[in-house]
């Protein structure tokens, strides 16, 4: 049977958008070349028309220019159509690529979800909670061990706190007594209200009576030098106090 009727021809593969876009782009390039050639001819015709006087020759050149302009416009329209077709096919191809990528993404997510479900079956949340609690306790124990290991080994551990308190009290008493002795020595240096740097120079100080500020009567208290360089009030030298006169 095959010898009589022969074998059927192989079916051509279905057209693809990539091939269609390639054909349209090639056609668009051809149209661009024709348009460029016609624009050159139109420029030549215009130049000839400027140099020729009015007459049959100029009219013949003008007819050629008009024909070239018509062809250029037709090619430009065809190029615009091919450009739009190529753009539309590019958009369709882009959408197809997006759908393919989406399908691949969905499939990958399905596999990932299946793997995660399988892993979750092997993990018990209560067991994880127990592990975290145990880890926290181990961390606390580790911190305690670190504190013990960081203690100062040079200080004895059997020191009696009562002994430390007694020693501290003695230290405070010693400080207080030292301050009291300093204050006592400072007070001893001042005798009778006379600074120490003036003592021993009693003969150099003139024996002049000193007066207190005047009272209501206008007279003040007089002082005389006594033994030891101290001044004592002189009662005899006190001025008589005048009584105010009574007015009738």
């Amino acid at each position: 049977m095959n010898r009589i009727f022969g074998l059927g021809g192989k079916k051509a593969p279905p057209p693809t958008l990539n091939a269609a876009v390639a054909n349209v782009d090639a056609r668009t390039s051809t149209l661009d070349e024709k348009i460029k050639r016609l624009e050159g001819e139109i420029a030549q015709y215009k130049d000839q028309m400027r140099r020729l006087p009015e007459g049959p020759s100029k009219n013949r050149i003008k007819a050629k220019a008009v024909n070239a302009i018509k062809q250029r416009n037709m090619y430009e329209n065809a190029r615009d159509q091919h450009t739009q077709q190529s753009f539309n096919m590019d958009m369709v191809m882009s959408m197809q690529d997006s759908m393919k990528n989406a399908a691949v993404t969905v499939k990958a997510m399905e596999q990932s979800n299946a793997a995660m479900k399988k892993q979750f079956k092997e993990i018990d949340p209560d067991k994880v909670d127990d592990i975290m609690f145990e880890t926290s306790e181990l961390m606390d124990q580790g911190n305690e061990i670190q504190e013990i290991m960081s203690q100062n080994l040079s200080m004895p551990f059997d020191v009696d706190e009562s002994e430390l308190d007694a020693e501290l009290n003695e230290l405070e008493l010693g400080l207080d007594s030292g301050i009291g002795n300093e204050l006592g020595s400072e007070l001893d240096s001042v005798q009778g209200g006379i600074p120490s740097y003036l003592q021993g120079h009693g003969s150099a100080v003139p024996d002049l009576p000193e007066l207190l500020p005047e009272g209501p009567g206008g007279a003040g208290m007089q002082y005389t030098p006594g033994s030891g360089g101290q001044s004592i009030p002189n009662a005899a030298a006190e001025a008589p106090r005048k009584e105010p006169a009574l007015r009738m």
Side-chain angles (χ1 to χ4, degrees):
M1 296 294 293
N2 292 333
R3 293 178 181 178
I4 297 172
F5 297 100
L7 296 175
K10 294 182 179 179
K11 293 182 179 180
T16 61
L17 285 177
N18 289 326
V21 170
N23 293 332
V24 172
D25 290 341
R27 182 60 180 168
T28 302
S29 300
T30 303
L31 293 174
D32 287 335
E33 292 178 358
K34 291 181 178 182
I35 292 170
K36 186 176 181 181
R37 178 177 58 80
L38 289 172
E39 286 180 351
E41 292 180 0
I42 293 170
Q44 291 179 1
Y45 294 149
K46 288 181 179 180
D47 185 56
Q48 291 176 6
M49 290 171 60
R50 282 197 304 269
R51 292 181 295 176
L52 291 174
E54 295 293 335
S57 299
K58 186 175 182 180
N59 292 333
R60 186 173 60 253
I61 298 300
K62 185 177 182 180
K64 290 181 180 180
V66 172
N67 188 22
I69 291 172
K70 289 180 180 180
Q71 291 180 7
R72 185 197 63 181
N73 293 337
M74 292 175 62
Y75 286 145
E76 286 179 349
N77 291 332
R79 182 191 61 184
D80 294 340
Q81 291 177 0
H82 284 75
T83 302
Q84 187 63 37
Q85 291 176 6
S86 178
F87 175 77
N88 293 335
M89 287 186 289
D90 285 337
M91 291 297 99
V92 173
M93 290 172 54
S94 177
M95 182 59 66
Q96 286 183 351
D97 292 339
S98 299
M99 295 302 295
K100 289 179 181 179
N101 294 331
V104 172
T105 303
V106 171
K107 187 175 181 179
M109 291 180 65
E110 289 178 353
Q111 294 178 356
S112 178
N113 291 338
M116 284 192 294
K117 289 179 181 179
K118 184 177 179 180
Q119 291 176 356
F120 287 154
K121 290 180 180 179
E122 299 175 357
I123 299 175
D124 186 7
D126 295 334
K127 185 177 181 181
V128 175
D129 190 11
D130 294 339
I131 291 173
M132 293 301 296
F133 181 76
E134 184 179 0
T135 302
S136 178
E137 290 184 347
L138 292 174
M139 292 293 293
D140 293 338
Q141 293 179 6
N143 293 330
E144 185 178 358
I145 292 173
Q146 292 295 329
E147 291 179 0
I148 295 173
M149 295 297 295
S150 61
Q151 289 180 358
N152 189 1
L153 299 178
S154 61
M155 179 179 292
F157 294 99
D158 55 351
V159 177
D160 190 0
E161 293 184 0
S162 59
E163 296 180 0
L164 294 176
D165 294 337
E167 186 175 354
L168 181 61
N169 292 331
E170 292 179 0
L171 180 61
E172 291 178 355
L173 292 175
L175 291 175
D176 294 339
S177 61
I179 295 174
N181 293 332
E182 291 180 359
L183 292 176
S185 61
E186 186 68 22
L187 290 175
D188 292 339
S189 63
V190 181
Q191 298 178 358
I194 300 175
S196 59
Y197 58 84
L198 292 180
Q199 294 180 7
H201 301 283
S203 60
V205 179
D207 297 336
L208 296 177
E210 297 180 359
L211 295 178
L212 288 174
E214 294 183 356
M221 179 69 70
Q222 294 183 358
Y223 290 84
T224 57
S227 61
Q230 297 181 356
S231 299
I232 59 177
N234 189 358
E238 183 178 2
R241 186 173 184 180
K242 296 180 179 183
E243 296 293 338
L246 297 177
R247 294 181 181 181
M248 297 301 293

